[in-house]
Amino acid sequence: MPIPFLAFGVIALFSGLGIGKTIKAGVDQKDANDTNESANHICERATAEIESSRKKSGDAITALGEQKVYVLNHSIASFVESFGKLKNVELVKDSAGLTEYQTFKIDEQGVAELRQLSEMASSLAGGLAGGSALGALAAFGAYSGVMALGSCATTGTAIATLSGIAAKNATLAFLGGGAKVIGGLGIAGGAGVLGGLVAAPALAVMGFILGAKASKNKDDAYSNLAKAREYREEMKAARVLCNGIRMRATMFERLLLKLDVVFEPMVLRMEQIIRSRGPDVKLYTEDEKKEIAMCLSVAGAVKAILDTSILTEDGNLTSESKQLIEPTQRTIVKYSPGRAQEE
């Protein structure tokens, strides 16, 4: 009776092949599931990292805007008031031996611009409690005072106008300075522009399906992994830019703070000279003229910080802001209270 045994053998053979395919399908599906899990983990981690960098950069730019407002509302406001009382200021600028104090030069037009900026800063300070003011501070931190003045027809529209700049600018929207509630692009809208970024890929996660689909699931999973890795690289590039923005904004904030420490007592001294000697510079001693000259020089350094944007309109760091750091640091060292007394 060989035939039944032959039939049994054939059945066993095909059954074995079926079991083998089932096992392979199971292995392929597990590989697909594991690969998808890795792809999702890569995306989640990259998203968390860029979110952290985004928030820190936005906070740094806003802090710079706040520091600008503070300086303009205090030492600069006092300076422009006292400067307006002086007569024959050109004697300070043209006196022999005073050129060393003119690393940063400021003229009457520059002082007039500082006065306008101070008025605008007063408007900003008065509305800091509002949500739109945060966008205004971000724009004021990122861009130059001259740009801010050019955008604001009157000081009364400073918050609305600067908030509008933050809302429409892709980089500031991405950094959080242009919220959707004030009509901006929002973070998602900004992310679509900043550095060519794209949103995290929508990864297809397959269920446990045996057979021919398991092999396709495996292929799709590896495609997901490739997309996730590409997204991770894009987020790395974005983090580099965000971190660069944060470092530059923080550097400018510290420079402005240190300048103000030097500048404020100089302004007080200028006020004392005016009270004791009158407003006519012709009547001042050479030492008093030098003190006025130093005050003007530091005022010029403060204005240079205020006038220099750290971001271009398309969201990249400006070369001008980098070039300004070293001469500003030299000015701070030169006019620091201890150094000034030594000289």
Side-chain angles (χ1 to χ4, degrees), residues 9-30:
V10 171
I11 291 171
L13 175 62
F14 279 100
S15 297
L17 289 174
I19 293 172
K21 287 183 178 179
T22 300
I23 293 173
K24 183 179 184 304
V27 171
D28 285 347
Q29 188 60 50
K30 184 178 186 307

mmCIF file of all heavy atoms in Angstrom, residues 9-30:
data_model
loop_
_atom_site.group_PDB
_atom_site.id
_atom_site.type_symbol
_atom_site.label_atom_id
_atom_site.label_comp_id
_atom_site.label_asym_id
_atom_site.label_seq_id
_atom_site.Cartn_x
_atom_site.Cartn_y
_atom_site.Cartn_z
ATOM 1 N N GLY A 9 3.158 11.863 2.521
ATOM 2 C CA GLY A 9 4.425 12.592 2.391
ATOM 3 C C GLY A 9 4.268 13.906 1.670
ATOM 4 O O GLY A 9 4.874 14.918 2.029
ATOM 5 N N VAL A 10 3.468 13.899 0.618
ATOM 6 C CA VAL A 10 3.233 15.149 -0.138
ATOM 7 C C VAL A 10 2.530 16.170 0.743
ATOM 8 O O VAL A 10 2.866 17.354 0.760
ATOM 9 C CB VAL A 10 2.403 14.848 -1.402
ATOM 10 C CG1 VAL A 10 1.970 16.169 -2.067
ATOM 11 C CG2 VAL A 10 3.207 14.014 -2.369
ATOM 12 N N ILE A 11 1.540 15.708 1.496
ATOM 13 C CA ILE A 11 0.810 16.628 2.391
ATOM 14 C C ILE A 11 1.760 17.229 3.427
ATOM 15 O O ILE A 11 1.755 18.425 3.718
ATOM 16 C CB ILE A 11 -0.338 15.878 3.081
ATOM 17 C CG1 ILE A 11 -1.414 15.511 2.054
ATOM 18 C CG2 ILE A 11 -0.962 16.735 4.179
ATOM 19 C CD1 ILE A 11 -2.480 14.582 2.590
ATOM 20 N N ALA A 12 2.616 16.335 3.990
ATOM 21 C CA ALA A 12 3.580 16.811 4.978
ATOM 22 C C ALA A 12 4.538 17.834 4.398
ATOM 23 O O ALA A 12 4.905 18.823 5.040
ATOM 24 C CB ALA A 12 4.359 15.615 5.536
ATOM 25 N N LEU A 13 4.949 17.587 3.131
ATOM 26 C CA LEU A 13 5.866 18.515 2.468
ATOM 27 C C LEU A 13 5.245 19.890 2.333
ATOM 28 O O LEU A 13 5.850 20.905 2.667
ATOM 29 C CB LEU A 13 6.267 17.960 1.098
ATOM 30 C CG LEU A 13 7.129 18.882 0.220
ATOM 31 C CD1 LEU A 13 8.465 19.156 0.916
ATOM 32 C CD2 LEU A 13 7.370 18.251 -1.155
ATOM 33 N N PHE A 14 4.014 19.916 1.841
ATOM 34 C CA PHE A 14 3.354 21.210 1.652
ATOM 35 C C PHE A 14 3.020 21.886 2.976
ATOM 36 O O PHE A 14 3.077 23.099 3.108
ATOM 37 C CB PHE A 14 2.083 21.034 0.802
ATOM 38 C CG PHE A 14 2.373 20.973 -0.671
ATOM 39 C CD1 PHE A 14 2.416 19.748 -1.326
ATOM 40 C CD2 PHE A 14 2.619 22.123 -1.400
ATOM 41 C CE1 PHE A 14 2.702 19.678 -2.683
ATOM 42 C CE2 PHE A 14 2.902 22.058 -2.759
ATOM 43 C CZ PHE A 14 2.949 20.831 -3.407
ATOM 44 N N SER A 15 2.714 21.059 3.958
ATOM 45 C CA SER A 15 2.460 21.619 5.283
ATOM 46 C C SER A 15 3.723 22.265 5.832
ATOM 47 O O SER A 15 3.697 23.341 6.426
ATOM 48 C CB SER A 15 1.980 20.523 6.236
ATOM 49 O OG SER A 15 0.755 19.996 5.807
ATOM 50 N N GLY A 16 4.846 21.586 5.601
ATOM 51 C CA GLY A 16 6.125 22.145 6.043
ATOM 52 C C GLY A 16 6.434 23.459 5.358
ATOM 53 O O GLY A 16 6.912 24.406 5.980
ATOM 54 N N LEU A 17 6.151 23.519 4.064
ATOM 55 C CA LEU A 17 6.383 24.780 3.347
ATOM 56 C C LEU A 17 5.492 25.892 3.895
ATOM 57 O O LEU A 17 5.905 27.031 4.041
ATOM 58 C CB LEU A 17 6.117 24.563 1.849
ATOM 59 C CG LEU A 17 7.139 23.709 1.101
ATOM 60 C CD1 LEU A 17 6.676 23.448 -0.322
ATOM 61 C CD2 LEU A 17 8.500 24.379 1.106
ATOM 62 N N GLY A 18 4.248 25.533 4.225
ATOM 63 C CA GLY A 18 3.328 26.525 4.781
ATOM 64 C C GLY A 18 3.801 27.046 6.123
ATOM 65 O O GLY A 18 3.758 28.244 6.412
ATOM 66 N N ILE A 19 4.271 26.112 6.963
ATOM 67 C CA ILE A 19 4.797 26.522 8.266
ATOM 68 C C ILE A 19 6.023 27.424 8.104
ATOM 69 O O ILE A 19 6.197 28.424 8.788
ATOM 70 C CB ILE A 19 5.136 25.272 9.103
ATOM 71 C CG1 ILE A 19 3.860 24.523 9.465
ATOM 72 C CG2 ILE A 19 5.904 25.669 10.358
ATOM 73 C CD1 ILE A 19 4.110 23.182 10.110
ATOM 74 N N GLY A 20 6.890 27.066 7.132
ATOM 75 C CA GLY A 20 8.083 27.880 6.878
ATOM 76 C C GLY A 20 7.728 29.289 6.461
ATOM 77 O O GLY A 20 8.338 30.264 6.914
ATOM 78 N N LYS A 21 6.718 29.415 5.594
ATOM 79 C CA LYS A 21 6.287 30.746 5.154
ATOM 80 C C LYS A 21 5.704 31.532 6.320
ATOM 81 O O LYS A 21 5.907 32.744 6.447
ATOM 82 C CB LYS A 21 5.260 30.612 4.041
ATOM 83 C CG LYS A 21 5.836 30.174 2.714
ATOM 84 C CD LYS A 21 4.771 30.142 1.636
ATOM 85 C CE LYS A 21 5.355 29.750 0.284
ATOM 86 N NZ LYS A 21 4.313 29.700 -0.779
ATOM 87 N N THR A 22 4.971 30.815 7.185
ATOM 88 C CA THR A 22 4.371 31.482 8.333
ATOM 89 C C THR A 22 5.453 32.000 9.282
ATOM 90 O O THR A 22 5.376 33.128 9.780
ATOM 91 C CB THR A 22 3.447 30.510 9.084
ATOM 92 O OG1 THR A 22 2.422 30.069 8.195
ATOM 93 C CG2 THR A 22 2.812 31.199 10.294
ATOM 94 N N ILE A 23 6.452 31.181 9.495
ATOM 95 C CA ILE A 23 7.558 31.599 10.357
ATOM 96 C C ILE A 23 8.288 32.802 9.766
ATOM 97 O O ILE A 23 8.584 33.786 10.462
ATOM 98 C CB ILE A 23 8.531 30.428 10.582
ATOM 99 C CG1 ILE A 23 7.846 29.319 11.405
ATOM 100 C CG2 ILE A 23 9.799 30.913 11.284
ATOM 101 C CD1 ILE A 23 8.668 28.061 11.522
ATOM 102 N N LYS A 24 8.573 32.760 8.463
ATOM 103 C CA LYS A 24 9.263 33.877 7.790
ATOM 104 C C LYS A 24 8.419 35.149 7.867
ATOM 105 O O LYS A 24 8.935 36.249 8.103
ATOM 106 C CB LYS A 24 9.561 33.535 6.346
ATOM 107 C CG LYS A 24 10.347 34.631 5.624
ATOM 108 C CD LYS A 24 10.655 34.251 4.203
ATOM 109 C CE LYS A 24 11.537 35.316 3.529
ATOM 110 N NZ LYS A 24 10.959 36.652 3.569
ATOM 111 N N ALA A 25 7.107 34.980 7.650
ATOM 112 C CA ALA A 25 6.225 36.141 7.732
ATOM 113 C C ALA A 25 6.257 36.741 9.128
ATOM 114 O O ALA A 25 6.270 37.963 9.308
ATOM 115 C CB ALA A 25 4.803 35.750 7.351
ATOM 116 N N GLY A 26 6.264 35.853 10.136
ATOM 117 C CA GLY A 26 6.329 36.344 11.507
ATOM 118 C C GLY A 26 7.621 37.076 11.801
ATOM 119 O O GLY A 26 7.635 38.118 12.464
ATOM 120 N N VAL A 27 8.733 36.543 11.285
ATOM 121 C CA VAL A 27 10.033 37.200 11.464
ATOM 122 C C VAL A 27 10.044 38.556 10.764
ATOM 123 O O VAL A 27 10.514 39.568 11.309
ATOM 124 C CB VAL A 27 11.170 36.301 10.935
ATOM 125 C CG1 VAL A 27 12.494 37.066 10.910
ATOM 126 C CG2 VAL A 27 11.304 35.044 11.781
ATOM 127 N N ASP A 28 9.508 38.572 9.508
ATOM 128 C CA ASP A 28 9.457 39.835 8.757
ATOM 129 C C ASP A 28 8.607 40.874 9.479
ATOM 130 O O ASP A 28 8.959 42.058 9.536
ATOM 131 C CB ASP A 28 8.887 39.594 7.357
ATOM 132 C CG ASP A 28 9.877 38.918 6.421
ATOM 133 O OD1 ASP A 28 11.070 38.855 6.783
ATOM 134 O OD2 ASP A 28 9.471 38.442 5.342
ATOM 135 N N GLN A 29 7.478 40.430 10.029
ATOM 136 C CA GLN A 29 6.596 41.375 10.698
ATOM 137 C C GLN A 29 7.224 41.914 11.976
ATOM 138 O O GLN A 29 7.094 43.084 12.307
ATOM 139 C CB GLN A 29 5.260 40.717 11.017
ATOM 140 C CG GLN A 29 4.215 41.695 11.547
ATOM 141 C CD GLN A 29 3.915 42.803 10.547
ATOM 142 O OE1 GLN A 29 3.659 42.532 9.373
ATOM 143 N NE2 GLN A 29 3.970 44.045 11.001
ATOM 144 N N LYS A 30 7.917 41.049 12.708
ATOM 145 C CA LYS A 30 8.611 41.514 13.918
ATOM 146 C C LYS A 30 9.682 42.529 13.553
ATOM 147 O O LYS A 30 9.858 43.550 14.238
ATOM 148 C CB LYS A 30 9.239 40.335 14.658
ATOM 149 C CG LYS A 30 9.895 40.738 15.988
ATOM 150 C CD LYS A 30 10.464 39.559 16.708
ATOM 151 C CE LYS A 30 10.986 39.979 18.102
ATOM 152 N NZ LYS A 30 11.905 41.105 18.065
#
